[in-house]
Amino acid sequence: MKVYGCESPSKYFAIKKYTGVNHPADRERVGNMLKSLAMRVLVLGATGGTGLELVKQALGTGHQVNALVRNPEKLKQFEVVDDDDKLKVIKGDVYSYDDMKKAMTGCDAVFSSLGGYPRLFKPCDIYSKTCDVIVKVMKELEIKRFISVTASGTKDDPNLPFMLRWVLKPTLYRNVCADMIHFEDKLVNEVGEDINWTVVKPPYLLDTPLTGIAPAACEGQSVPGYKHEICRADMAKFMLDCLVSSEWDRKLVSVARGHDSKVGQE
C-alpha cells in the first residue's frame, strides 16, 4: 500500500509526525525526506527467523543493510542485482572484534537478533559476550543506536503463563534466561550515555505473515491482558520503527500481538 506516493506507510506517518507533511502536494518533499531517513544498518543474526525479517523489511523500506553471518549462502534470496551496495553480506564471527568492526564500519545503527538455544545442562553466553564486542566497536566507531532482542519474562512476572513461569524457566530456559538478564543488565547499568539502546522482549514467536496491526507494547517483563505471542514479522517492523521514534529509547520493552488479540476476545 502506498500513502501519498510513499511505498512505506510507516515511514510516511513518521515523517508527518516529525515534520508536519500531510498533503499529497508534498509527495516530492516526502520522497526526499524518505531518502534522508534511509540508513545503513548492521543486522546480527541475519540468517535466523527474526533476522531474515529484519533484512527483508529494512531493504523494503529503503535502508541499506550489512549482515555479519557465518553462512552467506542463507542470504542468497536477498541478492540485489541493480544495486550491489544495498546489501553487504560479510562472512565472519560475531565474537570477533575484527569481524564486527569490518561489518559495522559505515553503519548508522545496529540490530541484533542473535539468540541462544535453550539447553538444560549447557551454559549460554551469546548475549553477554557479543554485547561486550558490539558495545566496544560501536563506541569506537561512534555509532549511537542499538536495538536488540531478548525475550519476555527473563525476570519473574506474575503475568507470565504458568508453563513458562513454573516449568520451562526453572529448567530448560534457565541458562538462556540467565544470560539474557546479564545482557540486559549490562545495557542498563554499564554502557553509559554513548549508546542509545532498546531491548525488545517478545513472547512466543510465530512464523506467520505481517499483520499490519501495531503490537501492544509496554515496559516490563510482559504485556498484561494480551496473548503471549507475536509474529516475527510484526516484531521486526516494531524494531525498525524504533529508528524513527524515541518512545522506547533506553528501555526494556515487552511486545505482544496487537489490538485484535486481547485475552478473552476471538
Side-chain angles (χ1 to χ4, degrees):
M1 182 180 77
K2 291 187 178 182
V3 177
Y4 295 158
C6 300
E7 295 289 346
S8 168
S10 63
K11 270 196 171 183
Y12 171 80
F13 288 112
I15 289 175
K16 178 180 175 182
K17 176 180 177 181
Y18 289 107
T19 68
V21 173
N22 59 6
H23 192 277
D26 291 319
R27 69 179 61 186
E28 183 176 353
R29 181 181 165 209
V30 169
N32 291 333
M33 287 184 173
L34 285 178
K35 291 179 182 178
S36 71
L37 280 180
M39 301 180 186
R40 178 167 289 281
V41 300
L42 172 62
V43 177
L44 303 171
T47 59
T50 301
L52 288 169
E53 279 292 338
L54 280 169
V55 172
K56 180 175 73 174
Q57 293 188 37
L59 291 173
T61 52
H63 297 298
Q64 295 174 306
V65 176
N66 286 9
L68 177 61
V69 299
R70 289 177 296 180
N71 184 1
E73 293 292 316
K74 293 185 178 180
L75 290 179
K76 282 218 167 205
Q77 61 180 295
F78 296 113
E79 283 187 340
V80 181
V81 296
D82 60 338
D83 185 356
D84 291 338
D85 195 48
K86 194 169 184 183
L87 173 62
K88 291 183 179 178
V89 180
I90 300 100
K91 184 176 181 179
D93 183 351
V94 293
Y95 295 102
S96 165
Y97 167 84
D98 290 335
D99 290 346
M100 188 69 74
K101 185 174 181 180
K102 179 180 178 182
M104 205 180 289
T105 298
C107 291
D108 304 296
V110 177
F111 289 89
S112 176
S113 60
L114 294 168
Y117 292 102
R119 296 287 189 270
L120 184 58
F121 300 110
K122 186 177 180 181
C124 175
D125 63 8
I126 188 170
Y127 297 94
S128 55
K129 279 195 173 181
T130 57
C131 180
D132 294 337
V133 181
I134 293 165
V135 168
K136 181 178 180 180
V137 177
M138 287 186 69
K139 287 186 175 183
E140 182 175 330
L141 297 178
E142 298 184 346
I143 298 170
K144 303 297 185 183
R145 195 68 173 106
F146 178 43
I147 302 168
S148 187
V149 178
T150 56
S152 64
T154 50
K155 296 182 180 179
D156 191 37
D157 184 326
N159 293 307
L160 296 176
F162 178 90
M163 187 71 176
L164 175 61
R165 187 183 185 195
W166 298 111
V167 179
L168 294 175
K169 280 191 63 183
T171 55
L172 186 61
Y173 293 172
R174 179 184 59 196
N175 292 326
V176 71
C177 278
D179 194 44
M180 288 178 180
I181 292 171
H182 192 188
F183 167 73
E184 292 172 354
D185 287 347
K186 279 175 179 281
L187 293 177
V188 172
N189 300 316
E190 298 178 19
V191 302
E193 297 297 313
D194 292 338
I195 294 176
N196 178 14
W197 54 267
T198 299
V199 176
V200 180
K201 297 166 66 66
Y204 183 75
L205 288 167
L206 304 171
D207 293 313
T208 53
L210 186 72
T211 67
I213 299 169
C218 68
E219 285 190 82
Q221 295 297 319
S222 65
V223 185
Y226 284 78
K227 292 181 180 179
H228 198 74
E229 61 183 34
I230 190 172
C231 71
R232 294 180 191 275
D234 285 351
M235 184 180 71
K237 183 180 182 303
F238 179 88
M239 294 173 71
L240 286 164
D241 286 347
C242 285
L243 285 177
V244 293
S245 170
S246 60
E247 183 175 3
W248 304 110
D249 288 2
R250 295 187 174 86
K251 292 177 182 177
L252 307 174
V253 52
S254 288
V255 293
R257 281 183 59 193
H259 305 294
D260 68 339
S261 60
K262 282 189 177 181
V263 173
Q265 291 185 0
E266 295 298 329

